[in-house]
Amino acid sequence: MTFTLDRRSFLRTAAASGALVTLPGLASIARAQDIQPGGTLRLALNITPSVLNPMLVRLNSEYLLAELLYSGLTMLGADMTAQPDLATEWSANDDATEWHFTLRQGATFSNGAPVTTADVVASFTKLLDPATAAPGSRNLGPISEVVADGETGVIFRTSTPYADLPVALTYPTAKILPASVIENDFDSLGTTPVGSGPFRLKEFVADDRAVVEKNPDYYIEGQPYLDEIVVRTFPDAAGAAAAMLAGEVDLLTEVQPTDYKRIADGKGVTGMRTPSGRFLDVVMDCTVEPFNNPKVREALSYCVDRQAMVDMVAEGFGTPGNDTPVNAAYKYYADAPLKAYDPEKSKALLAEAGYPDGIQIELVASVKPDYRAAMAVVLREMAKPGGWDITVQTMDHPTYLDQVWKKGKFYVGYYNMQPTEGAIFNLLFTSDASWNETRWNNAEFDKLVAEADATTDTDKRAELYAKTQELMRTDIPALVPCFFDLLGARGDHVQGYEQSPRGATFALHKVWLSK
Amino acid sequence: MSTLRALLKNPQGALGLVIVTALLVIAILGPSLAPNDPEAFNFGSRFAAPSAQFPLGTDWYGRDLLSRVLVGARSTVLLALLATLIGTVAGAVIGVVSGYLGGLADEMLMRVTDALMAIPSLLFALMILAVLGSSAINAVLAIGIAFTPGMARIARSVTLQVRSLDYVSAARARGESLIWIVLAEILPNTIAPVIVEGTIRVAFAIMTLATLSFLGLGAQPPAPEWGLMIAEARTHLFRSPWPVIAPGVAIALVAIGFNLLGDGLRDVLNPKTAE
């Protein structure tokens, strides 16, 4: 990789990311002189990454490993816009149904083969193949066809106009893999990664640690700055917190709200806090009793003291929710007065719905993270005067994923922020959502989301998304009592780490250690 | 009555008896003794230290810890007693029958018992819960079943001594049935060691029950079960130690009480040390 090519690609980067990024771009040039490359970063997780195949990852810890070892066409910036990765620039036709991506030249996989347009086509074909069962593939957008356009271009065609495609392609599963591996030995990716990411896997011990070392051929000159990253898995958050305070760990990407203050006050530790659209919701199956009656769902929504929920469950590190998964961290958030806590109204609505004696029901909460059960217990207490007799059933996380998630009728869900409104709606709430757990199946909502997906005009989209949020607030497929800020901690010597409100991207190739 | 008198003269036994009696009173009257609703939140006084209003402080939702410990005594202690009772009765019957019958039946029963005893009791209880699903009553069953092999061993060893005694031979010569011989002749004469063992086991049962709840497999939040209270309080330990200390001390006291009572009973019921 020559200097001129790199400089040119930098200019292209700046051009593609637009005027907004110019200022931070300049700042990073100024800082570039102080960067001290080298060293080992020790990072702690408390949810074990078990899936290595980048197309099948589902957890933040697995997203982290996939991001270290692989690259996608675009990567998500902290401002929730698409930034160049393997694609250096892109453009769409006027109605946003055909997108042209220009592939970076000179990128290679860890097996030495260059990254070609054929690899991109093969990767997306595999990703969109229902037989692959890639999680969240609905989130990539309505892609109908991916074809190569010569040596350097790839054309994506969508069945309906889709303005968010470059951002949608930042989804953590959308990684580019060598076509030869996909065709011959896809399953081997579960143990032997072959990617073009900033790091290469050196050692992987399930439930214990993963060690990655610098990819010397990485396509961004000079990056990654670190020589090595050791990712350690702790069985619980308390262990990771203790290791951080003892100086055995340099970076925690996640800190529990209950631990945050103590860790952030630790010697040599800096707390990191970013408002985010990450939320806990109370999922109600809208097709079965009693939740098939909208009045019952409305009744429960009056049983939540939302600010108290933030104080008790998020320990104040969050923002109240209004029964939509969209908050101020999103671009098209439509503000509305917070729903009031009114148990009397709940009682009246239950009586109208045919439950004059109230409702007795079991609420399931997984034990990871801790605050799922906390929310269940707090809701139980808040809903008591509203005619609800909720019993809480906690369950270990694997059992919950296996038996309750997407199947149960009343449970506590937990989701990352998504880069766009369309992404979160299509992940959870439309009729053909990847994880349509509420089975709300609201035709009007589907229509609004589809229309917004296909619209490029900003004002029109704002109006459509405002309507979707209004619809969710009144028909309530799920309670969203509060949003959580993203909390993390770094040693004072860790530089260049920026929390992404999305919670699923980490950009560790930009991190360096001051001596 | 004479046993009770002897127990009161024994310092360990007397102390154990006092603690256990106090505990049973709390277990029965707990909910009416509690000054506050154990599940009611007090938004204004989260993590309060002990005070006149909250004698043991409050937890992270501002719930009164004294009330929670008092109300929790019933579920914790009664469930532990129930678990021990299940284990003791099942173990005693299996042990006595096995010891009395001897021969092939004894071999088979005891080898199965050996196999089960090879599994640590907590692990065995976890396995049973994995099959039955987690709830307080399943935890009781699991602990009862896990205790059975140990009890069976003790009951059998005593039975082996008793079965060759003259009064058993006499009963057999009279042509009494197996059930009558086991229940009327053997069981009453093997009961003392079984009771002692059972008393000590209650302490283990409380701790195992607390452990299971701690692991999220027993009682469910917001139940004021002591083990669960500690498990939940763990994440808040660095902000206030009281939510861990209150139920922790309660568990320790109960375990000590039953152990002392068991030791006292052993001394009193053993003919060699009784006088």
Side-chain angles (χ1 to χ4, degrees):
Chain A
M1 196 182 285
T2 64
F3 171 73
T4 43
L5 182 66
D6 186 61
R7 207 181 66 131
R8 207 185 308 147
S9 72
F10 169 74
L11 291 176
R12 251 188 258 150
T13 307
S17 35
L20 263 177
V21 185
T22 315
L23 219 61
L26 283 175
S28 70
I29 292 174
R31 223 175 42 202
Q33 288 146 0
D34 324 322
I35 288 175
Q36 297 159 323
T40 299
L41 178 79
R42 297 160 304 168
L43 184 151
L45 300 174
N46 61 65
I47 293 186
T48 306
S50 54
V51 176
L52 266 185
N53 189 323
M55 287 191 181
L56 304 178
V57 291
R58 319 143 296 169
L59 308 170
N60 285 343
S61 54
E62 294 167 355
Y63 294 162
L64 176 96
L65 280 185
E67 188 188 279
L68 291 172
L69 305 173
Y70 297 90
S71 353
L73 283 181
T74 53
M75 68 171 100
L76 193 65
D79 58 351
M80 297 292 113
T81 59
Q83 303 291 326
D85 197 2
L86 279 175
T88 50
E89 57 187 14
W90 48 86
S91 57
N93 63 357
D94 286 343
D95 63 351
T97 52
E98 187 175 303
W99 289 80
H100 183 276
F101 288 82
T102 306
L103 191 64
R104 185 187 292 272
Q105 295 305 293
T108 55
F109 288 112
S110 51
N111 63 7
V115 181
T116 65
T117 51
D119 296 321
V120 177
V121 173
S123 296
F124 278 94
T125 310
K126 185 74 182 173
L127 201 55
L128 295 168
D129 180 357
T132 312
S137 55
R138 172 74 178 80
N139 271 44
L140 299 173
I143 300 171
S144 57
E145 194 183 18
V146 182
V147 290
D149 176 28
E151 292 286 296
T152 59
V154 182
I155 293 172
F156 282 71
R157 296 200 177 91
T158 53
S159 53
T160 54
Y162 190 52
D164 288 331
L165 188 71
V167 178
L169 295 186
T170 65
Y171 200 76
T173 54
K175 301 289 189 234
I176 306 304
L177 311 174
S180 59
V181 176
I182 292 176
E183 277 149 33
N184 301 326
D185 202 3
F186 183 65
D187 292 339
S188 73
L189 291 169
T191 47
T192 325
V194 185
S196 56
F199 292 90
R200 289 175 180 174
L201 190 65
K202 192 171 159 191
E203 189 188 344
F204 180 72
V205 185
D207 285 340
D208 181 34
R209 62 211 224 109
V211 181
V212 297
E213 59 188 356
K214 178 179 185 158
N215 173 3
D217 303 326
Y218 189 54
Y219 44 77
I220 301 178
E221 183 91 6
Q223 290 183 1
Y225 301 123
L226 297 163
D227 289 337
E228 198 175 70
I229 299 178
V230 179
V231 180
R232 291 177 60 190
T233 303
F234 286 82
D236 62 15
M244 182 81 214
L245 288 173
E248 287 164 19
V249 161
D250 304 310
L251 181 64
L252 291 181
T253 55
E254 297 279 345
V255 169
Q256 301 299 305
T258 44
D259 287 334
Y260 181 74
K261 210 178 160 316
R262 182 170 64 98
I263 295 177
D265 288 346
K267 197 167 163 279
V269 179
T270 306
M272 299 179 288
R273 177 180 176 190
T274 305
S276 162
R278 173 183 286 186
F279 62 94
L280 278 183
D281 64 346
V282 179
V283 175
M284 299 174 278
D285 184 340
C286 302
T287 58
V288 300
E289 280 198 37
F291 300 117
N292 54 3
N293 187 333
K295 285 209 172 101
V296 172
R297 307 200 296 265
E298 194 186 345
L300 191 60
S301 82
Y302 283 111
C303 294
V304 187
D305 182 339
R306 289 151 202 271
Q307 188 55 50
M309 208 53 125
V310 172
D311 294 340
M312 304 269 245
V313 180
E315 299 296 335
F317 301 114
T319 43
N322 223 358
D323 299 336
T324 89
V326 175
N327 71 350
Y330 284 88
K331 189 173 173 190
Y332 298 109
Y333 170 58
D335 205 1
L338 213 53
K339 288 185 187 173
Y341 177 57
D342 191 348
E344 286 309 316
K345 200 153 179 178
S346 163
K347 257 188 185 157
L349 279 165
L350 284 185
E352 267 180 61
Y355 300 93
D357 304 326
I359 286 181
Q360 232 182 346
I361 195 157
E362 183 183 275
L363 176 61
V364 179
S366 153
V367 295
K368 259 197 180 170
D370 288 339
Y371 38 87
R372 287 203 210 222
M375 165 167 292
V377 171
V378 174
L379 179 65
R380 168 194 149 93
E381 211 51 40
M382 287 178 174
K384 250 186 207 166
W388 291 80
D389 179 8
I390 298 172
T391 42
V392 178
Q393 173 73 41
T394 59
M395 144 177 326
D396 65 296
H397 200 56
T399 314
Y400 159 78
L401 288 179
D402 186 45
Q403 294 177 4
V404 178
W405 185 49
K406 296 186 281 179
K407 299 186 187 106
K409 74 167 175 180
F410 195 42
Y411 62 90
V412 180
Y414 174 60
Y415 295 98
N416 277 332
M417 180 179 177
Q418 297 295 322
T420 62
E421 291 77 3
I424 188 72
F425 291 148
N426 285 315
L427 186 69
L428 296 173
F429 296 107
T430 55
S431 303
D432 58 349
S434 304
W435 303 324
N436 181 15
E437 52 186 359
T438 64
R439 290 174 271 275
W440 184 33
N441 301 347
N442 185 304
E444 191 188 344
F445 180 79
D446 290 352
K447 199 167 142 267
L448 287 168
V449 172
E451 204 180 329
D453 278 347
T455 306
T456 43
D457 180 68
T458 322
D459 294 338
K460 185 87 200 324
R461 292 191 101 182
E463 190 187 312
L464 289 166
Y465 282 132
K467 278 188 196 161
T468 58
Q469 292 168 56
E470 172 68 31
L471 198 55
M472 290 195 79
R473 277 196 300 269
T474 49
D475 210 51
I476 315 160
L479 289 188
V480 183
C482 76
F483 290 90
F484 291 78
D485 293 350
L486 210 62
L487 301 174
R490 61 177 176 87
D492 290 341
H493 57 293
V494 177
Q495 310 292 336
Y497 180 76
E498 199 178 355
Q499 279 186 312
S500 160
R502 165 91 168 84
T505 54
F506 308 91
L508 293 176
H509 58 283
K510 293 180 187 162
V511 171
W512 55 282
L513 305 173
S514 55
K515 306 267 163 17
Chain B
M1 219 53 229
S2 63
T3 316
L4 189 65
R5 221 172 294 131
L7 197 62
L8 284 173
K9 276 187 207 146
N10 179 311
Q12 291 181 353
L15 187 56
L17 195 66
V18 169
I19 295 177
V20 169
T21 313
L23 188 76
L24 288 179
V25 170
I26 290 172
I28 293 163
L29 299 178
S32 41
L33 293 176
N36 293 302
D37 177 352
E39 289 182 11
F41 291 5
N42 295 292
F43 289 80
S45 31
R46 305 175 68 198
F47 299 112
S51 64
Q53 193 191 355
F54 304 110
L56 294 181
T58 60
D59 68 6
W60 53 100
Y61 295 137
R63 296 179 292 197
D64 177 27
L65 282 169
L66 176 67
S67 304
R68 287 180 69 74
V69 169
L70 287 176
V71 173
R74 178 177 289 179
S75 56
T76 311
V77 174
L78 292 191
L79 291 182
L81 284 174
L82 191 62
T84 315
L85 194 70
I86 293 172
T88 307
V89 170
V93 170
I94 292 173
V96 170
V97 169
S98 168
Y100 176 71
L101 288 179
L104 186 64
D106 184 33
E107 280 296 323
M108 281 167 58
L109 279 170
M110 281 304 113
R111 293 300 80 78
V112 171
T113 309
D114 287 347
L116 292 181
M117 280 179 83
I119 308 170
S121 63
L122 179 61
L123 213 60
F124 192 45
L126 283 177
M127 210 168 72
I128 296 167
L129 276 178
V131 176
L132 295 179
S134 54
S135 76
I137 204 71
N138 284 348
V140 166
L141 262 181
I143 293 170
I145 296 172
F147 278 0
T148 303
M151 281 308 212
R153 269 269 167 220
I154 289 165
R156 174 179 174 271
S157 68
V158 190
T159 308
L160 286 182
Q161 297 166 11
V162 174
R163 62 180 279 206
S164 52
L165 294 179
D166 290 345
Y167 59 84
V168 178
S169 309
R172 214 178 294 140
R174 289 202 305 273
E176 302 289 1
S177 71
L178 170 69
I179 293 174
W180 197 87
I181 294 174
V182 166
L183 291 182
E185 300 286 354
I186 298 182
L187 205 56
N189 294 296
T190 57
I191 205 77
V194 170
I195 285 179
V196 172
E197 176 68 14
T199 317
I200 293 171
R201 287 270 166 171
V202 175
F204 281 107
I206 285 174
M207 285 192 283
T208 314
L209 208 60
T211 311
L212 289 176
S213 298
F214 180 82
L215 295 173
L217 295 170
Q220 294 294 321
E225 207 275 339
W226 295 346
L228 181 67
M229 285 169 70
I230 296 178
E232 287 189 288
R234 197 171 37 145
T235 51
H236 304 278
L237 181 63
F238 288 95
R239 291 198 287 172
S240 167
W242 295 104
V244 171
I245 291 176
V249 168
I251 292 176
L253 263 181
V254 173
I256 291 170
F258 274 100
N259 267 315
L260 288 175
L261 182 67
D263 280 356
L265 275 176
R266 189 194 54 212
D267 292 347
V268 170
L269 293 175
N270 186 339
K272 285 182 197 132
T273 54
E275 294 312 313

